Amino acid sequence: MPNRFLAAVLVSAVLGAPAFAQDRRVPSSPTELRLSYAPIVQRAQPAVVNVYAAKMVQNRNPLLDDPIFRRFFGVPGNQQPEQMQRSLGSGVMVDPSGLVVTNNHVIEGADQVKISLADKREFEADVVLKDSRTDLAVLRVKDGREKFATLDFANSDELVVGDIVLAIGNPFGVGQTVTHGIVSALARTQVGITDYQFFIQTDAAINPGNSGGALVDMTGKLAGIKTAIFSRSGGSQGIGFAIPVNMVRVVSASAKGGGSAVKRPWLGAKLQAVTPE
């Protein structure tokens, strides 16, 4: 009887064992050893664009404030030389008609905005909506007469620390680049770019030029828009931040509805950190 009971317990334990425990075995072929994010990248990459913004700025020289200097060199009274200033970032196509979400700081003050697709085609774009509070902006491709590849939205509230994510963008202007990492923290505050305080933190490499690019989950859906890094050198040190896609959803919906600004409800209360005192 004891032996029969013990056998029943062992059978029950084996049948009730977790699936991952039963699946542990030696790989039977080289194919089973091949792990790749390529299918996810191939799905997401066409929807990630490069964003080029340009604006004219006055190249102010303090010597030109001296009227004698201006008269000697024949410079008119109030004329200051102008210089074209360019910035580079990334963006994500969120609507087939040509709606692109990027960071507000990428296109802030720009006189001209262009986007470049993964296949190198370039299009001029108009700024439809800017929201400095979330550091998000929405662009629309001018004269868009085709259906563009887009990324579906994930539910960023379902992210947990440890989830694998891919970062796609154009760091340093070298061209579209993919890096991978994990969600290393959630609900990060005091990032220093906006007063929106619910950032996704990731160790996926994010560098200058990645701003506005996609943070993609393992289903190939958009989990967030990259917006900032914590760095003492200016390059990636393993702490980057992304705006959760659920906030991106609100901003893009405002743009699709024809709005030029995001309307928010007001609580009528001011929040502050709770200290031990």
Side-chain angles (χ1 to χ4, degrees):
M1 186 71 173
N3 291 339
R4 197 175 300 172
F5 177 75
L6 180 59
V9 170
L10 289 173
V11 169
S12 175
V14 170
L15 292 177
F20 65 83
Q22 297 179 42
D23 289 341
R24 287 179 179 173
R25 58 186 176 80
V26 177
S28 60
S29 68
T31 303
E32 293 187 359
L33 288 172
R34 183 176 180 270
L35 300 176
S36 176
Y37 300 121
I40 300 171
V41 173
Q42 289 167 3
R43 178 180 174 183
Q45 210 166 27
V48 181
V49 304
N50 301 334
V51 178
Y52 303 94
K55 62 180 177 181
M56 297 298 296
V57 296
Q58 286 190 340
N59 189 14
R60 186 173 182 80
N61 189 326
L63 291 175
L64 294 178
D65 293 332
D66 187 340
I68 298 177
F69 184 89
R70 290 201 306 268
R71 186 184 307 169
F72 182 81
F73 286 98
V75 180
N78 295 321
Q79 182 177 340
Q80 295 279 1
E82 290 187 332
Q83 181 180 5
M84 181 69 78
Q85 188 178 78
R86 302 179 186 275
S87 63
L88 173 68
S90 304
V92 180
M93 195 76 70
V94 296
D95 189 85
S97 64
L99 216 59
V100 176
V101 173
T102 185
N103 283 144
N104 182 60
H105 73 261
V106 170
I107 53 89
E108 183 65 27
D111 301 315
Q112 183 183 33
V113 179
K114 288 185 178 182
I115 67 162
S116 173
L117 304 183
D119 60 11
K120 308 301 181 184
R121 287 182 298 157
E122 291 189 355
F123 298 88
E124 291 189 359
D126 292 319
V127 178
V128 178
L129 181 151
K130 295 191 296 183
D131 187 52
S132 59
R133 292 194 64 184
T134 57
D135 192 31
L136 289 172
V138 181
L139 315 175
R140 185 180 293 279
V141 174
K142 288 184 179 179
D143 302 323
R145 298 177 183 176
E146 63 177 283
K147 296 295 184 182
F148 295 95
T150 62
L151 271 182
D152 294 331
F153 291 156
N155 182 358
S156 52
D157 290 342
E158 294 179 352
L159 287 176
V160 295
V161 175
D163 281 350
I164 296 175
V165 287
L166 304 180
I168 308 176
N170 184 14
F172 299 111
V174 299
Q176 199 171 86
T177 302
V178 182
T179 57
H180 90 286
I182 64 169
V183 174
S184 51
L186 292 168
R188 282 299 193 216
T189 63
Q190 307 298 329
V191 171
I193 284 192
T194 74
D195 61 359
Y196 178 69
Q197 298 183 354
F198 201 81
F199 291 91
I200 301 166
Q201 181 180 309
T202 178
D203 65 347
I206 297 174
N207 287 291
N210 270 122
S211 292
L215 192 71
V216 179
D217 67 12
M218 288 296 98
T219 66
K221 294 182 178 180
L222 183 67
I225 294 290
K226 296 169 293 180
T227 190
I229 59 174
F230 180 85
S231 174
R232 291 188 173 91
S233 65
S236 174
Q237 291 185 329
I239 301 181
F241 302 98
I243 302 165
V245 75
N246 286 0
M247 175 55 67
V248 178
R249 192 193 309 269
V250 172
V251 174
S252 63
S254 296
K256 288 180 183 178
S260 59
V262 179
K263 294 182 179 179
R264 295 181 174 85
W266 289 88
L267 180 62
K270 184 178 180 180
L271 307 179
Q272 67 180 39
V274 178
T275 64
E277 290 79 15

